[in-house]
Amino acid sequence: MKKIEHIGIAVKNLESSNALFEKLLGTAHYKVEEVASEGVSTSFFKSGPNKIELLEATNANSPVAKFIEKRGEGIHHIAFDVEDIVAEMERLKAEGFVLLNEKPKKGADNKLVCFVHPKSSNGVLIELCQEIS
Ligand code: ZN
């Protein structure tokens, strides 16, 4: 794991949260992207070297919709930048972590991603991401 790539925050309404985070961070979001396979619409903010991803569910079966139903809005996941996602997935699997996908998949913002089940990481959903070059 190289560094925290971004922090994902589940929100009910992307538009009003974009306005809120724009005020909070003093900068506008630089991208809105829908990830149909995850049932989410996302937006990204940069604050210095850090990145925040807001996630709004696009349908009732979206994992983000279920998250908000259970826990309300708030921090949804922490994403780590990795050099070699397949190697990192194998390493974590060997350490006993439960991965939510068998193979890396295409995520938002030009990344290959894999999620680690929060049950195996103290209740925190972990995202591994590798920049697609
Ligand atoms: Zn993310």
Side-chain angles (χ1 to χ4, degrees):
M1 309 260 197
K2 290 197 288 184
K3 58 165 184 155
I4 291 179
E5 213 284 328
H6 63 268
I7 292 174
I9 298 174
V11 303
K12 287 181 182 164
N13 183 295
L14 199 59
E15 209 180 303
S16 59
S17 293
N18 275 340
L20 180 71
F21 275 79
E22 191 169 326
K23 263 190 250 167
L24 179 73
L25 300 172
T27 183
H29 62 282
Y30 64 92
K31 172 187 267 197
V32 170
E33 190 178 342
E34 190 173 335
V35 185
S37 60
E38 295 289 314
V40 292
S41 188
T42 65
S43 68
F44 286 90
F45 289 83
K46 266 186 195 130
S47 174
N50 303 307
K51 217 161 102 181
I52 301 284
E53 174 185 33
L54 302 183
L55 307 114
E56 180 198 54
T58 51
N59 66 67
N61 293 322
S62 160
V64 167
K66 289 183 181 142
F67 176 89
I68 288 177
E69 215 170 275
K70 255 197 260 168
R71 296 163 70 162
E73 292 180 299
I75 294 181
H76 177 258
H77 65 270
I78 298 178
F80 289 93
D81 198 8
V82 299
E83 192 102 30
D84 178 344
I85 195 167
V86 174
E88 205 58 30
M89 286 168 71
E90 273 162 23
R91 183 181 74 81
L92 293 180
K93 232 195 288 184
E95 294 282 6
F97 291 93
V98 178
L99 304 182
L100 285 175
N101 41 303
E102 279 296 306
K103 284 183 182 159
K105 55 183 179 181
K106 178 95 172 58
D109 209 24
N110 196 43
K111 307 281 188 202
L112 283 176
V113 303
C114 174
F115 288 93
V116 179
H117 199 294
K119 250 195 273 179
S120 61
S121 44
N122 284 154
V124 181
L125 177 64
I126 304 289
E127 176 184 0
L128 307 177
C129 56
Q130 179 187 340
E131 182 92 24
I132 299 171
S133 48

